[in-house]
Amino acid sequence: MDESSLLFTSLNSSSKETELDTTSNTSFESQDIYTPSLKSHIISSIVKNLYEIMEENKQMGNDQFNLKDSIFYLDVIPNISLEYFINHLFKYTNMSISSLILAIIYIDQFCEKFKYALSMHNIFRILLIFVYISIKLNEDINIKPEFYSKVAGVSVKDLNMLEFQMCVAMNFEFFIKSDYYQQYFAYFCKNGN
């Protein structure tokens, strides 16, 4: 798969220099002093980028790569937009925008590590599980799987399996350096609509 199919390739060019920081978990909560319009802009920017990546994967024929043999694959694509899905998660989990940005960083690293192509068949589950993980790590709260599965529309069994598979795949490396987070934050503030 071509490197251009990875998320936010303009940021990946510096990913070789910016490694995962496994020494401490930096909370990015201080970044969450947002106006509703900035929050909406960042969400729109993220959604726009995700759709662009999936369209590029589709045109390159990469949208079928790593799909049907994956627990992230959905035969039936949900009849909702990504923006609706993300706003739904915000509404019911009270997550911070920094947790969403961390989830996008994790998606980027996952796709790069496994040469995984995002498509409408897998984005909902991949986004769902990385948001779940980032809320737990960034906000230091324990969301009950029963509650989150209800909000997200998956069974508790599937949620637990998705979390386990993703944690193992990522080798439990979810610590992000602050400057790496700042690159993504600035990118999403600048780009969008």
Side-chain angles (χ1 to χ4, degrees):
M1 176 188 311
D2 187 78
E3 204 173 290
S4 63
S5 65
L6 299 174
L7 280 175
F8 319 113
T9 54
S10 63
L11 295 176
N12 279 337
S13 61
S14 64
S15 66
K16 302 269 187 268
E17 318 159 355
T18 310
E19 302 278 326
L20 290 173
D21 180 10
T22 57
T23 57
S24 66
N25 186 10
T26 305
S27 177
F28 298 100
E29 285 308 300
S30 61
Q31 294 297 325
D32 277 323
I33 305 171
Y34 301 118
T35 63
S37 63
L38 180 58
K39 177 181 170 184
S40 178
H41 175 81
I42 290 172
I43 291 170
S44 293
S45 180
I46 287 170
V47 168
K48 178 183 170 193
N49 275 276
L50 289 171
Y51 278 125
E52 286 172 358
I53 294 303
M54 289 185 293
E55 182 58 32
E56 186 177 322
N57 285 337
K58 186 176 183 178
Q59 289 189 9
M60 293 175 60
N62 292 334
D63 62 327
Q64 296 303 311
F65 185 75
N66 257 351
L67 288 181
K68 293 193 178 193
D69 60 344
S70 166
I71 63 168
F72 306 109
Y73 180 81
L74 295 172
D75 285 322
V76 178
I77 298 169
N79 193 21
I80 57 173
S81 69
L82 283 177
E83 190 157 5
Y84 177 86
F85 182 65
I86 290 170
N87 282 313
H88 177 79
L89 293 177
F90 267 101
K91 179 178 180 180
Y92 291 101
T93 65
N94 293 317
M95 72 173 173
S96 64
I97 200 78
S98 58
S99 290
L100 177 60
I101 292 171
L102 286 172
I104 297 303
I105 294 171
Y106 298 149
I107 290 171
D108 198 9
Q109 292 176 340
F110 174 76
C111 289
E112 185 175 0
K113 181 176 182 178
F114 294 102
K115 306 300 182 230
Y116 202 89
L118 294 178
S119 76
M120 289 304 293
H121 287 280
N122 61 24
I123 187 59
F124 287 96
R125 282 192 159 199
I126 290 174
L127 185 59
L128 162 86
I129 202 57
F130 278 126
V131 164
Y132 184 57
I133 290 168
S134 69
I135 290 171
K136 284 178 148 185
L137 296 174
N138 185 49
E139 301 183 33
D140 198 25
I141 57 174
N142 187 13
I143 297 179
K144 295 195 179 295
E146 296 79 14
F147 172 77
Y148 194 79
S149 69
K150 193 174 203 177
V151 167
V154 298
S155 70
V156 174
K157 180 182 176 185
D158 282 352
L159 179 65
N160 289 335
M161 180 58 75
L162 288 167
E163 181 182 21
F164 174 76
Q165 291 287 335
M166 194 56 81
C167 286
V168 169
M170 297 299 289
N171 200 27
F172 296 89
E173 293 177 348
F174 294 107
F175 298 100
I176 303 298
K177 286 186 175 181
S178 181
D179 59 340
Y180 196 50
Y181 172 87
Q182 290 299 331
Q183 291 175 16
Y184 278 77
F185 176 75
Y187 178 84
F188 291 129
C189 285
K190 188 186 304 183
N191 297 292
N193 303 338

